[in-house]
Amino acid sequence: MKYWSIKNEQPKESIDFRALGLQEWEFRILVNRGVDTKEKIQNYLHPSMDHIHSPIALKDMVKAGNLVQSVKGKIRIIGDYDCDGVMSTTILMKGLGGLGYDVDYRLPHRREDGYGMKPFMADEALTDGVEMIITCDNGIAQFEAIEKAKALGLKVIVIDHHQVVWREGEEVLPEADAIINPHQEDCSYPFKGLCGGALAYYFINYLYTISGKIETMDEDLIGFAALATVCDVMELMGENRDLVTCGLARLNQTDNIGFNALREAAKIKGEIGAYHLGFIIGPTINAAGRLDTAADGVELFLTEDEAFAEETASYLRELNKKRQDLTTEGLARLEKQLTSPKERVQPIYILKDETIDESIAGIIAGRIKGKYHRPCIVLTSGKDGLKGSGRSIDAYNMVEQIRKSEKYLTSFGGHAMACGLSLRKDQFIAFKLDAIEKSDLDPRDLVPRVRLDTIMQLDKVSAETVERLNRLKPFGNGNPKPLFGATGVYVSQYRILGKNRNVIKLELFYNQARYDGILFMPAEDFLAFANEAKAPDGSLCIDMAYVPAIDTFNNRNTLQFQIEDLRRSKR
């Protein structure tokens, strides 16, 4: 059972939406996403890098630029092993290299090193004759490592988007020479939701500008920043929407050998969109850092060797397939634990399986959270006990709630929707019971929500509707696909397709007209619903939450309703 509701946000000012060329349903969708002033609407409908604020507004941007220009020796980039870290590193490598700097990089290994710059990396840099270290997608909390680097006489710039550390009500920053992070208390930059890749891109853009070489900057860098933004699940609103829109345009015409090899290996045809970045290309890059070394991803985007690019792209796709298989196997084992009535009814799922690879714990937690609408923490074997990741729902601020049980943990960090943690094995039961007891979740919080943007009956939808919807792309976090609602729709017949029997093709009728519908749902679940929802006369009348789309088959375009959820109609 799900709770259906209609979003009804209000604009901040009186707006004549028709004068802006909008239909009422479009206006409702925009306001529901916080696009609630005339200026915001115009910027949203016409994304452009002209909307980006000046990078100079980022605290220490000018200082960092001056520091780089003063460097005579080698610069080392220390990134991260996820997609944002890989793309940040790539942007800095290509950008600084293009300006003639001697630059190399070092990425931590997920299992051997853990997250972020480590003190021994400062020693390595000194041994290798490095003059400056630039961290990207990490550094804001790497106090010991940066202190060590400074003690060794190295210059350090931090480029990071993670939250600043606060202790006893005071902001605590590492002792770097410059810190570019919009979350700093003294940073006046208006848009705080940038990822590491976007900050790296802004920094390189600034360096090229002050060097008088902006016309020579690699045009692909904006595409790499867009890839990082989507894959780090940043909100695709404001500057991020401008950046991703322009970045996608570049990626669709790039001649970067590595990117095109990865596109080919993933068998992506046609135009690349945010979906391809977030669900195909990004996970493939992440697979390298999860199961091997993230350096493979950087080398792929830096190479000029087509044979190497093809080989590396194929290898990364194989790694991603392995990661998918491990995820499926691990998910199946943990779902067996949830067959226990005692486990199933808990408000928060804290599950342990020491055979699961630690690199996929977060992915599995996200899958369980999505399926059961419960906060979920998956724990597996770590170096010194148990290590795991959590994913949450809107009603449960994971970092605040789990902090109530922090006395049982050896390490912990995260944000409202996700966390990472470690603990001794003998503390598992105590931690689990304590976290469940302190969860403070109301049973109503655990009911999945279907939030419609607007009601639009099927006979009001046309190909033009889909065209207008496409203007609202790219869709993703913060800018989800608009969800329409229709009531009193009859299902006259249906077919079950797919090797996994999870594709349902439906023939729909409304107001004496026929329409095509498609639903992705396990056949047994749909059949159970249909049997329960049928009227005594055998008819099946539904309400449906849907997204209109155009289905192209044999060069023929057909309006199709992609059903996201359905329920028995009260008609």
Side-chain angles (χ1 to χ4, degrees), residues 156-172:
V156 181
I157 295 174
V158 169
I159 301 177
D160 197 2
H161 72 113
H162 292 97
Q163 292 292 330
V164 173
V165 175
W166 286 76
R167 293 175 186 154
E168 299 179 357
E170 291 190 5
E171 181 183 65
V172 183

Side-chain angles (χ1 to χ4, degrees), residues 33 44 236 274-275 469-470 472-477 479-482:
R33 281 148 184 73
Y44 183 99
L236 299 188
Y275 170 83
L469 267 181
N470 287 336
L472 310 186
K473 291 179 177 180
F475 299 128
N477 180 35
N479 188 41
K481 278 186 179 180

Side-chain angles (χ1 to χ4, degrees), residues 11 13-24 27 31 36-39 41-42 45:
E13 61 188 33
S14 178
I15 300 173
D16 182 358
F17 60 85
R18 290 184 177 84
L20 297 175
L22 297 172
Q23 295 185 6
E24 185 174 2
F27 179 62
V31 173
D36 49 15
T37 67
K38 183 177 179 181
E39 180 182 9
I41 289 173
Q42 289 173 327
L45 294 175

Side-chain angles (χ1 to χ4, degrees), residues 323-338:
R323 189 270 307 166
Q324 290 172 331
D325 292 342
L326 289 172
T327 300
T328 300
E329 293 166 8
L331 178 61
R333 288 200 297 274
L334 289 180
E335 286 203 284
K336 283 184 179 179
Q337 296 183 25
L338 295 176

Side-chain angles (χ1 to χ4, degrees), residues 521-561:
M521 175 186 284
E524 57 270 24
D525 293 347
F526 174 75
L527 293 173
F529 163 79
N531 289 332
E532 183 179 340
K534 279 182 180 176
D537 63 1
S539 64
L540 178 58
C541 187
I542 64 170
D543 297 338
M544 51 189 256
Y546 71 89
V547 178
I550 298 296
D551 179 50
T552 302
F553 184 71
N554 287 338
N555 295 319
R556 181 168 172 257
N557 293 332
T558 304
L559 182 64
Q560 184 178 75
F561 294 87

